Amino acid sequence: MSETPSSPGPTATTTMKATATVQRHTATVVADRFDLMTWRDTYEQSAGLRELTAELSLRHDGATDLLTDAFLAAYQARPRLRDRAEMDPSRLVDHHVLSSLMEPPDFAELRRTTAGDPYAAAMAVLAMAPSLRRILQRAQEAQDQAGQAEQDAVAQQPTESVEEAESDSRQAGRAAEAAAQAMTAAARGLRADAHAAAARAARVARQEAALMRIWGITAGETERMPFAQRLQLAERLRTSRLARWADLIGRFRQMACGERAHKVENAGGELIGITLGDDLSRVVPSELANLGLPVLRAVFAARYAAGELMLYDNRGEQTTGRGAIIACVDTSHSMYEEGPGGVTREAWAKACALALLDQARDAGRDFVGILFSAADKLQVFRFPAGESAGMPRVLEFAETFLGGGTSYQRPLSAAADVLRQEFDDAARARGDIVMITDDDCGVTEEWMRDWKDTKRQLGFRVFGVAVGAPRVAEADSVLDALCDNLRCVEDLTDVHAAADLFRLI
């Protein structure tokens, strides 16, 4: 009778199945195919990510996996790490790095900016680059120490046990133990570098998000931008001539927004008594009570038709204009001069002009920026109310500086021409011109007569701001003769010095 081969027992079978079903992963962060597609698309669009991958691959075979994990940890809404037991031994360093990276509060703060935003997540990875270089250097040193420890362990075995030490299980055990000892020694440095990476990435993300907000770019707008366009815009904002004054621009726009809200909140003005009229929004309660009595409704209607209803009489601020808001900004050489806090006259003037652009957009009015200096130097930037301002055009307006001397006649004539054309084309009057300058210059009598005639015809107002030059705003100055409303700003760190402009315009 032939003997039937014995089959493995239950314990052996279970062990074999468990061994067969264990899957080793090279990726630390659990991700679905959509997350991975987002990473691949972002990677293809970012030259910076590709260059960083190529550089780190010289030190670490799994550099691509490490950068993918770092990206997904920043991008996912709730990133989850695999258990260490599921990881390929060659990627345990990555698991340690990701665990340390996601540990500090800085990383949670970072994800408030990067979660769901592939561009922001990619920028966070690039911001981590210096720390990732140090981390991989430490990891390589740890692996070298592990290899050396293994060699030393084998060399210290008695001669008769060397062959036994050559077995796979014993050799793997000693290697794992030596590697663990080396990684433990390097763990403190890896954790510190990972924390530094999270902190730096969070700081860079905050700065870029703040820069976008300062320039009036919403999160929705940036998320719709192609990767390359957004990268180019962020770089331009960081290197702009006015980048140094980004905080001033942001404070100016915030102040103007607050003044607009204040103006709406107090639109009725100050109650000073009772008057007669037909403005139903100001009818006194006793008049409204007549509507509740059928016999008196005809009386109410008759008084309304005659404009004889009793109304609250309010004294508010001057009615705002309906035509274009035009900012004439002096860009002569003297505007380079710095005031308190190192703020230049140009920076204050441009910040004010950008806030006036916001004012026009909020009111549905056209905005025109006129940069001027000498009589032969003028540049006009138009921002129609019905069209997107376009950040490249806004930046061009903010960054342009003409240099030279100062002439009042040409920029003011150009502003009047804009308002005249607007009046002829759309019958819109009551525009507003804001003249921002630090110099006083003469105008001819003929030009002044024409200017006054045009002003009466079109009904526009002229606001003047003398930046850092009190003499320009004196009672006998040319600017004073040209303006309906004039103020001097000496403290260029004070954005509230122009607050009344945003209540009146």
Side-chain angles (χ1 to χ4, degrees), residues 11-25 82 85-88:
T11 303
T13 302
T14 303
T15 302
M16 290 173 63
K17 287 183 178 179
T19 303
T21 56
V22 171
Q23 183 180 1
R24 301 298 181 182
H25 295 274
R82 287 190 169 87
E86 300 177 37
M87 297 297 299
D88 186 287

Side-chain angles (χ1 to χ4, degrees), residues 385-469:
E387 302 175 10
S388 170
M391 187 48 56
R393 186 68 169 162
V394 173
L395 284 171
E396 185 182 359
F397 167 63
E399 292 179 331
T400 299
F401 192 88
L402 303 177
T406 306
S407 169
Y408 282 0
Q409 290 186 191
R410 192 172 178 206
L412 289 174
S413 293
D417 288 343
V418 169
L419 295 176
R420 183 180 294 106
Q421 181 181 355
E422 187 179 53
F423 180 78
D424 293 341
D425 293 345
R428 284 200 297 267
R430 299 214 321 271
D432 293 308
I433 299 173
V434 181
M435 184 75 167
I436 309 175
T437 183
D438 69 341
D439 200 3
D440 194 19
C441 64
V443 297
T444 66
E445 291 184 9
E446 181 181 2
W447 182 89
M448 182 63 86
R449 284 195 299 271
D450 290 341
W451 170 257
K452 290 180 177 179
D453 290 342
T454 303
K455 191 169 180 293
R456 279 193 298 269
Q457 178 188 359
L458 300 179
F460 59 79
R461 299 174 298 177
V462 182
F463 297 84
V465 184
V467 187

Side-chain angles (χ1 to χ4, degrees), residues 51-392:
E51 292 169 2
L52 181 60
T53 302
E55 177 195 340
L56 296 185
S57 294
L58 299 175
R59 310 183 186 187
H60 181 45
D61 292 338
T64 301
D65 289 327
L66 177 60
L67 294 183
T68 303
D69 286 332
F71 172 86
L72 293 173
Y75 173 72
Q76 289 181 342
R78 293 181 178 85
R80 181 170 63 87
L81 303 187
R82 287 190 169 87
D83 188 88
R84 287 178 60 87
E86 300 177 37
M87 297 297 299
D88 186 287
S90 66
R91 298 295 188 270
L92 288 176
V93 171
D94 294 4
H95 192 284
H96 184 84
V97 170
L98 265 294
S99 299
S100 300
L101 187 68
M102 296 171 62
E103 181 180 276
D106 288 312
F107 196 79
E109 181 182 350
L110 167 69
R111 291 185 55 260
R112 283 195 286 271
T113 302
T114 60
D117 187 340
Y119 169 87
M123 292 301 102
V125 173
L126 293 175
M128 297 175 192
S131 294
L132 290 176
R133 293 186 185 99
R134 290 194 298 271
I135 285 170
L136 293 181
Q137 180 62 39
R138 290 181 184 275
Q140 184 60 53
E141 292 172 356
Q143 289 174 350
D144 292 344
Q145 292 173 12
Q148 184 62 49
E150 180 186 351
Q151 293 177 10
D152 293 344
V154 172
Q156 291 172 5
Q157 295 295 322
T159 304
E160 60 271 19
S161 64
V162 170
E163 290 184 359
E164 184 180 354
E166 295 286 328
S167 68
D168 291 342
S169 59
R170 296 287 299 278
Q171 191 174 17
R174 283 196 301 273
E177 183 180 355
Q181 292 173 352
M183 284 302 297
T184 299
R188 180 176 299 177
L190 287 171
R191 185 175 292 108
D193 283 335
H195 286 202
R200 186 173 192 277
R203 184 171 63 254
V204 170
R206 281 197 310 271
Q207 290 171 347
E208 181 163 314
L211 196 59
M212 294 291 182
R213 286 195 302 272
I214 283 170
W215 284 94
I217 306 169
T218 65
E221 288 177 301
T222 55
E223 289 172 6
R224 289 192 296 270
M225 288 181 189
F227 188 95
Q229 180 184 347
R230 186 169 171 184
L231 183 64
Q232 183 180 21
L233 175 60
E235 180 62 22
R236 186 172 179 184
L237 292 180
R238 281 192 293 268
T239 58
S240 163
R241 286 186 63 249
L242 294 184
R244 179 182 171 192
W245 316 116
D247 178 63
L248 176 72
I249 293 169
R251 288 191 294 113
F252 230 115
R253 296 179 112 158
Q254 186 176 16
M255 176 275 294
C257 182
E259 292 301 324
R260 283 195 295 276
H262 178 76
K263 178 168 63 176
V264 171
E265 179 183 332
N266 298 285
E270 178 188 0
L271 176 64
I272 59 174
I274 301 295
T275 186
L276 300 179
D278 59 1
D279 185 351
L280 296 179
S281 68
R282 295 189 287 133
V283 174
V284 300
S286 61
E287 290 280 24
L288 292 174
N290 292 335
L291 290 174
L293 302 173
V295 70
L296 294 178
R297 286 175 186 168
V299 175
F300 181 92
R303 295 181 65 181
Y304 172 67
E308 295 180 350
L309 293 174
M310 288 191 295
L311 312 176
Y312 287 121
D313 189 9
N314 291 352
R315 180 174 62 202
E317 292 179 317
Q318 186 177 355
T319 305
T320 58
R322 289 181 290 115
I325 296 176
I326 303 177
C328 297
V329 180
D330 188 347
T331 59
S332 60
H333 282 309
S334 58
M335 292 291 283
Y336 274 131
E337 188 171 329
E338 294 184 356
V343 179
T344 65
R345 296 173 179 181
E346 180 208 7
W348 193 98
K350 294 285 183 63
C352 182
L354 291 171
L356 288 169
L357 169 59
D358 291 344
Q359 188 89 348
R361 308 302 286 182
D362 184 76
R365 299 168 65 181
D366 291 349
F367 177 81
V368 180
I370 299 178
L371 304 180
F372 70 93
S373 56
D376 61 339
K377 294 185 177 182
L378 188 85
Q379 195 160 346
V380 179
F381 295 81
R382 294 174 180 264
F383 300 90
E387 302 175 10
S388 170
M391 187 48 56

